[in-house]
Amino acid sequence: MQHAHSDVPHCILNIKQNHDPIPPSVYDFLHSLRNTEPQQTTTPRQNTATITTTHHQPTNNTTSSTHNEDTAQQRIDQQWQHMQSTIAEAQKLTIPHREHRAKRPWISETTWGLIEQRQQARAQENEEEEAKLHKAIRKQARRDKKEWLASQLEHSAQCISAKDKWEWIKRLKKGYTAKALALKDTEGKLVNTLKQADTFAEYLRDKHWATPTTEYTGSADPIHTDTTIDMSPFTAKELDTAIAKMKSHKAPGPDNLPSEVYKWLNQENRATLLQIFNNIYSTGHTPTEWNLATVVEIYKGKGSHTDPEMYRPISLLSTAYKLFARLLHARLEAAIDHKLRSTQFGFRASRSTSQPIHIVRRLLEAAERTDSPLYALFLDWEKAFDKIHPQALTMALTRFGLPKEFTRVIDSIYTQPDFQVRAMNHTSPTATAKSGIRQGCPLSPYLFLVVHSAIMHDVETQLTKQGTQAQPWLHSQNRPLWDLAYADDTMTQ
């Protein structure tokens, strides 16, 4: 089979033949990447080793150590910025841009022109002009719809049969449309829709992800000391597996690069991406751009719509970061999954809610059969992901025996987790989260399991020290059942 771009590897052509069709522009995309040689996209292995060695030297020269750390961070940032800009440029040049179209058939060219003017005012941060145009658009859109309905009724009148007339009437039936709701700020005052993004950001910064009021005072006693995690460079197979697991048609993060562009990379460009990931893994420095997340708020379905607390913040992260997080997750899961509590059934392979539910039912049957009392306490951790203490996360990883080389990478991710809130077509100024882990990150659920397992281990240890009267009901002579959990939903007895 002959193709216009003969330098594209044959494996890419085979993928096109055996799987879902790939747009022709993708081959231009791959070709443009192939012909763009990164300028020192990777750090030579000897340089990486030098950075690592310098980092672990005795800290009798603080200035030198800090300089080396800054140099390593700058090198990672430069490598990633070049890689990202190359992919973005290739995407821009070869993949057609989808023009905006009115979602309603009655929108006229006049209204569309006003919409474009409003976009310009928004880009210039002219809030007064934007609000003025917003009112004009609503007024013009109502006029457009009235005229459009009149034309549709004229078509209906021309139909002869009643059935055909009814078909036209059904088309005009208005379906459900979500409406913009008011929101209250921290002082309880309603804010303008143009200020909703800022209001959400202030709530997240000052309350939801606020700085913990106390230092971490939990246990530091090791839980496992024989944990071995693979710190060798990631392989091409691991990267291919992580890319294959990425879902398509998902909203991108601040980089505006969807997951599809990484799926379309050929093997040569994947090797370049892999080398950058390995540099990040070995130095413990993640690109600064990965710190920023675009947060969208989703109503929980309960409570007042005007209360920012009743919304769940979902972080849209850089697609490359999520890809790197999947690589970390696979290594972490292979190292400690068998060390986590066996009664935790959330976010783990081959486990589901049906298993703990089955166990609870069997406990109830055993208690009823033996006429024994059974007491169960069900816990629901409020804002479980969002209230994790930063020091608690690092300490939990350390207590499970993970080396500093690995925890350093996790620390780099959460050193300065910046965010911007997007709401009502507006974006808030950048703020920093001081606690919690990000909902939307592939690694976050598993990190929560590590923290949860450490907490329940400490509970079991403390109860054991108190004596037999504090022991839970023994359903087995081998081991008592202390708890059952599916993520943050926990049952103790």
Side-chain angles (χ1 to χ4, degrees), residues 291-356:
N291 293 338
L292 182 62
T294 300
V295 175
V296 292
E297 298 277 3
I298 299 179
Y299 180 59
K300 295 180 179 179
K302 58 182 180 180
S304 173
H305 288 83
T306 62
D307 187 359
E309 189 176 358
M310 295 296 105
Y311 292 79
R312 179 174 288 107
I314 303 298
S315 297
L316 302 179
L317 300 159
S318 168
T319 306
Y321 162 76
K322 292 193 291 185
L323 182 57
F324 181 73
R326 287 186 180 277
L327 294 172
L328 293 179
H329 174 264
R331 291 280 180 96
L332 180 61
E333 184 180 33
I336 68 169
D337 192 72
H338 61 286
K339 297 178 182 294
L340 299 180
R341 293 187 73 79
S342 60
T343 52
Q344 172 59 262
F345 294 90
F347 307 122
R348 301 173 74 179
S350 304
R351 299 189 179 215
S352 67
T353 55
S354 61
Q355 294 159 318

Side-chain angles (χ1 to χ4, degrees), residues 68-78 285-288 412:
N68 290 330
E69 288 294 317
D70 293 342
T71 302
Q73 183 65 60
Q74 292 173 3
R75 186 179 294 112
I76 292 295
D77 287 341
Q78 290 173 358
H285 293 281
T286 56
T288 305
S412 178

